[in-house]
């Protein structure tokens, strides 16, 4: 503040310099938000690692237990068969968990790259059931499919597209009780002679997802809050990875669900 007076000492002018701090406040708010998000992310990762340390022990203990049981009864063919089946099941579960962690690490570091190639999509989709058939058979779930493609060959990352679809079908089986119904649909809409859009749908009549969980389950290290521990198996990364892969492909993944009525 600067004051000016005349020769008699009377105040004639007051000059004030005012500096806006809105930009400073905005940056402060952005910094506080980043700190809050970092803390939230750290808390999620800490909880994730805590859960993973428990979840990884389960298949490892299964492998150790089945190996010891098989050694104890080397001449019992029935026990040997059951042990081998459990060993394979536990090993596959462990590999799946490790793959999820590696995939999310690649995505977050920007090292995940799509590898498009010519794919006979009609043939691939007709065989998608074979990749998850054992899960449906184990829970005696009925699987139906509705595939309407006008073309057969497309340019796509076959591995990553199948990864997303198998994840969605696996979740449908996981969150659907025994004897439930699961449906897979793929419908093509031609845009022009060289371009089409394909709408993929996985439907089930399982336990459903609450409204408050529907956005959260697509975030890293998150799962829907379930009381039954049987529904909490896995890394909590499957939908987050699928979401990121679909966005890399230039599309979106959406959920419609009601508790008790399926997804």
């Amino acid at each position: 503040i600067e004051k000016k007076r005349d020769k008699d000492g009377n105040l004639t002018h007051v000059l004030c310099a005012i500096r806006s701090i809105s930009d400073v406040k905005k940056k402060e708010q952005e910094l506080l938000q980043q700190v809050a998000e970092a803390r939230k992310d750290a808390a999620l990762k800490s909880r994730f690692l805590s859960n993973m340390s428990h979840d990884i022990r389960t298949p490892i203990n299964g492998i150790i237990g089945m190996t010891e049981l098989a050694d104890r009864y080397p001449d019992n063919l029935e026990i040997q068969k059951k042990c081998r089946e459990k060993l394979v099941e536990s090993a596959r579960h462990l590999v799946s968990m490790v793959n999820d962690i590696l995939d999310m690490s690649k995505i977050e570091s920007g090292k995940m790259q799509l590898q498009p190639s010519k794919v006979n999509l009609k043939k691939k989709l007709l065989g998608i059931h074979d990749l998850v058939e054992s899960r449906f058979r184990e829970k005696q779930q009925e699987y139906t499919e509705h595939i309407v493609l006008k073309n057969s060959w497309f340019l796509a990352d076959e591995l990553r597209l199948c990864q997303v679809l198998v994840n969605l079908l696996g979740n449908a089986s996981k969150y659907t009780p025994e004897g439930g119904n699961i449906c897979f649909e793929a419908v093509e809409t031609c845009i022009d002679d060289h371009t089409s859009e394909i709408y993929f749908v996985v439907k089930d009549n399982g336990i459903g997802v609450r409204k408050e969980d529907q956005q959260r389950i697509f975030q890293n290290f998150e799962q829907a809050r379930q009381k039954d521990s049987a529904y909490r198996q896995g890394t909590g990364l499957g939908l987050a990875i699928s979401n990121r892969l679909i966005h890399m492909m230039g599309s979106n993944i959406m959920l419609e669900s009601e508790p008790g009525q399926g997804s």
Side-chain angles (χ1 to χ4, degrees):
I1 297 175
E2 183 181 348
K3 298 178 182 180
K4 291 189 177 182
R5 300 178 184 271
D6 60 18
K7 60 183 179 178
D8 296 324
N10 298 316
L11 186 65
T12 59
H13 296 82
V14 177
L15 299 177
C16 297
I18 300 175
R19 182 169 64 91
S20 172
I21 61 170
S22 58
D23 289 343
V24 176
K25 287 292 184 182
K26 184 178 179 181
K27 289 182 179 179
E28 286 181 356
Q29 290 296 325
E30 290 176 351
L31 181 59
L32 288 173
Q33 185 177 356
Q34 290 174 3
V35 170
E37 289 176 354
R39 286 177 177 172
K40 180 182 177 182
D41 191 48
L44 284 173
K45 288 183 178 180
S46 177
R47 190 178 72 196
F48 167 74
L49 290 173
S50 177
N51 292 339
M52 281 299 297
S53 64
H54 174 269
D55 291 340
I56 286 177
R57 287 194 200 103
T58 303
I60 290 177
N61 287 337
I63 291 171
I64 294 172
M66 289 302 103
T67 303
E68 291 176 346
L69 184 62
D71 288 342
R72 200 176 306 148
Y73 300 97
D75 299 324
N76 190 317
L77 296 181
E78 184 177 352
I79 290 179
Q80 291 289 319
K81 180 182 177 182
K82 288 182 178 179
C83 286
R84 285 196 301 270
E85 290 173 351
K86 290 295 182 182
L87 282 169
V88 171
E89 180 183 337
S90 296
R92 284 177 176 169
H93 180 55
L94 191 58
V95 168
S96 175
M97 296 173 75
V98 172
N99 285 340
D100 279 352
I101 296 170
L102 292 176
D103 281 346
M104 182 52 71
S105 176
K106 286 181 182 178
I107 290 173
E108 291 201 322
S109 65
K111 294 180 180 180
M112 175 70 76
Q113 299 292 328
L114 297 179
Q115 302 292 333
S117 61
K118 292 181 181 180
V119 180
N120 188 333
L121 195 59
K122 183 175 288 187
K123 181 179 179 181
K124 176 59 65 175
L125 295 182
L126 288 172
I128 202 81
H129 168 259
D130 296 338
L131 302 176
V132 285
E133 194 271 337
S134 60
R135 306 186 197 185
F136 300 147
R137 186 176 65 250
E138 183 180 350
K139 298 182 73 174
Q140 299 179 335
Q141 294 164 335
E142 182 178 351
Y143 173 81
T144 57
E145 59 187 16
H146 179 65
I147 298 174
V148 183
L149 298 183
K150 298 177 182 178
N151 297 287
S152 296
W153 290 89
F154 294 85
L155 191 65
D157 187 320
E158 178 181 356
L159 175 64
R160 297 305 176 184
L161 181 59
C162 285
Q163 180 180 352
V164 172
L165 296 177
V166 168
N167 179 262
L168 296 179
L169 286 166
N171 272 357
S173 176
K174 176 180 176 181
Y175 293 105
T176 299
E178 291 188 7
N181 300 308
I182 295 166
C183 177
F184 172 63
E185 298 180 10
V187 180
E188 177 186 1
T189 301
C190 293
I191 305 301
D192 55 42
D193 291 341
H194 304 287
T195 308
S196 291
E197 289 183 350
I198 302 180
Y199 182 58
F200 298 98
V201 187
V202 174
K203 299 180 182 179
D204 65 65
N205 64 342
I207 62 175
V209 183
R210 299 180 303 176
K211 293 291 184 185
E212 57 267 32
D213 285 332
Q214 290 186 13
Q215 290 298 321
R216 191 174 60 80
I217 61 174
F218 289 101
Q219 299 172 8
N220 297 357
F221 318 116
E222 291 281 11
Q223 291 176 314
R225 297 184 178 96
Q226 303 293 345
K227 294 180 180 179
D228 190 341
S229 60
Y231 293 129
R232 294 199 300 269
Q233 298 173 355
T235 60
L237 292 175
L239 285 178
I241 292 170
S242 297
N243 187 34
R244 299 281 281 272
L245 288 174
I246 290 297
H247 276 92
M248 288 174 67
M249 296 176 188
S251 191
N252 293 291
I253 186 167
M254 295 166 286
L255 170 66
E256 295 178 8
S257 184
E258 290 290 338
Q261 298 183 29
S263 305

